[in-house]
Amino acid sequence: MKLTDLKSSEGARRKSKRVGRGRASGHGKTSTRGHNGQGQRSGEAKRFGFEGGQTPLFRRLPKLHNFNQVIKREWIEVNIGLLNNLPANSEVNPETLVAHNILRKKTNSLRILGNGELKVALNVKAHHVSLGAKAKIEAKGGTVEIIQ
């Protein structure tokens, strides 16, 4: 294949519409703009929401106040490599992680990720555990439980 063999697929490229080139072209005289009115004049620009003088939709509808914002959940991520300092067969949950200074405060959005090596068996209770982390924990003889 050579660069000269490359072609765009059928219908991918169109020629631009040539207007104002005489009656025979089909786009002569008014150049597809219609007769008179704002759309026919040069510099035609209607503002956003303009409906030709009719009261626009955004003014016809009532104002709705006090929408409750959706609170985005902030996940606290802990990699498996940080859990090696904990004693073997201990329970890992947000409270124990705060006690061992791995987390600053108790959270309801604890996510255990599989980065690093695990050297001790642990019983992990978290709100989310990645598949890689779960495999490493269970390979060392630990257990994984998801907190709701």
Side-chain angles (χ1 to χ4, degrees):
M1 178 177 258
K2 298 177 184 171
L3 283 175
T4 55
D5 296 338
L6 294 176
K7 284 186 177 179
S8 53
S9 56
E10 188 69 30
R13 298 179 64 167
R14 287 187 179 174
K15 291 183 177 179
S16 60
K17 186 197 295 188
R18 296 191 59 197
V19 296
R21 291 296 180 268
R23 288 184 174 180
S25 69
H27 300 301
K29 194 181 175 236
T30 56
S31 300
T32 72
R33 288 175 174 261
H35 294 281
N36 298 352
Q38 185 180 15
Q40 184 251 351
R41 309 291 184 200
S42 66
E44 171 252 337
K46 298 178 209 71
R47 70 179 180 277
F48 176 76
F50 183 69
E51 298 182 17
Q54 164 179 303
T55 306
L57 181 69
F58 75 91
R59 288 183 60 197
R60 279 181 274 158
L61 297 176
K63 294 179 185 176
L64 299 176
H65 298 282
N66 301 323
F67 278 100
N68 292 331
Q69 286 189 338
V70 176
I71 298 170
K72 189 178 177 186
R73 190 171 185 176
E74 294 290 332
W75 288 97
I76 307 298
E77 298 168 345
V78 175
N79 280 308
I80 244 179
L82 293 174
L83 303 180
N84 286 324
N85 299 335
L86 300 174
N89 295 320
S90 64
E91 185 173 305
V92 177
N93 57 32
E95 293 86 10
T96 58
L97 291 177
V98 170
H100 286 90
N101 292 328
I102 294 173
L103 295 181
R104 289 185 182 176
K105 61 181 181 179
K106 182 180 172 255
T107 178
N108 62 348
S109 302
L110 178 63
R111 183 176 283 240
I112 306 292
L113 302 179
N115 194 8
E117 290 297 319
L118 187 64
K119 297 174 180 150
V120 292
L122 297 170
N123 301 324
V124 177
K125 292 184 178 181
H127 301 94
H128 181 270
V129 179
S130 70
L131 293 176
K134 185 174 183 180
K136 289 180 182 181
I137 292 167
E138 291 173 348
K140 289 291 178 182
T143 59
V144 175
E145 185 180 330
I146 303 297
I147 306 171
Q148 293 300 327

